[in-house]
Amino acid sequence: MSDIKELDEQTTTQLLKGIDIPPQPQVLRVVMAEQQQKDPDLRKIAAAVAKDVGLSAAMLRAANSPAFGLRQKATSISQAVMLLGMGNTVSLVTGLSLRMVMSGKGKIRLERFWDTASDTAMICSVLARRFKIMAADQAHMLGLFHDCGIPLLMQRFPNYVEVLRKANADTQEPITSIEDRHFNTNHAVIGYLVGRSWFLSEEIREIIHHHHDEAFLSNPHDEVLASRISLLILAEYLCHLYHRESDDVVWQRVGSNVMQLLDLNETTLQELNEDVKDLLSS
């Protein structure tokens, strides 16, 4: 697979095919600019977030979810920011901003999509603490962003939902291969480009880019990246089990590779499944 970081402007334009990537919101620019300061001021970040009522409400709900395990309930944005710390705050503001921006585009209802993304993000953060192969706040952001190309493709192509439905049931090919055949682009590429536009870390962008590269998992040339992709696939699988109580076709193809890369056995996998049930039902 080619390195998407080397894409020139012309190739990127061809891949986007008229897909509009939403710009980074102003509140996020303020937050990320403050993060870059030698001594970031969490009060300035809280003030910027508090100006957006919708974002503030969503952030308080997320901050008080089991994913972050706060010792006390946050009742204000200032308190939430102080309790979460810089990394978790940036992760939350980034992910929630993405959801709000994309949910406001077009007439497509995306509530179920974002609810699944939120659940996957929570599971990712828990797994990151368990396996210690990436920071929990970065894992949470990964869970929120990993499929963010899907709603953009839904808005661009009238038949995308139908193609995606069939691709999700295909037992032979990765979803991205089927998308490439129909649209000459795929949601992993678009997700990478969104991440680049929103200044996500290279680590997260590369996981998004490769997360449907099944051949990479069977013969990884970068075991750290493969392990992080495996963490995401495991999170998606556990989320799928919780909501549908059945295997998914991706796990059928790559589950053994994921378990090997994460050093899992069936007993541990079942324990993780029970933990996720408790997490998502709480």
Side-chain angles (χ1 to χ4, degrees), residues 34-59:
E34 191 61 35
Q35 183 188 30
Q36 300 303 314
Q37 298 299 314
K38 184 177 180 180
D39 186 19
D41 189 339
L42 293 177
R43 292 171 300 179
K44 289 184 179 179
I45 291 176
V49 173
K51 290 179 181 178
D52 188 318
V53 177
L55 178 60
S56 297
M59 185 170 176

Side-chain angles (χ1 to χ4, degrees), residues 254-265:
V254 303
S256 60
N257 291 327
V258 168
M259 292 181 69
Q260 181 176 354
L261 284 161
L262 295 178
D263 194 24
L264 282 175
N265 56 42

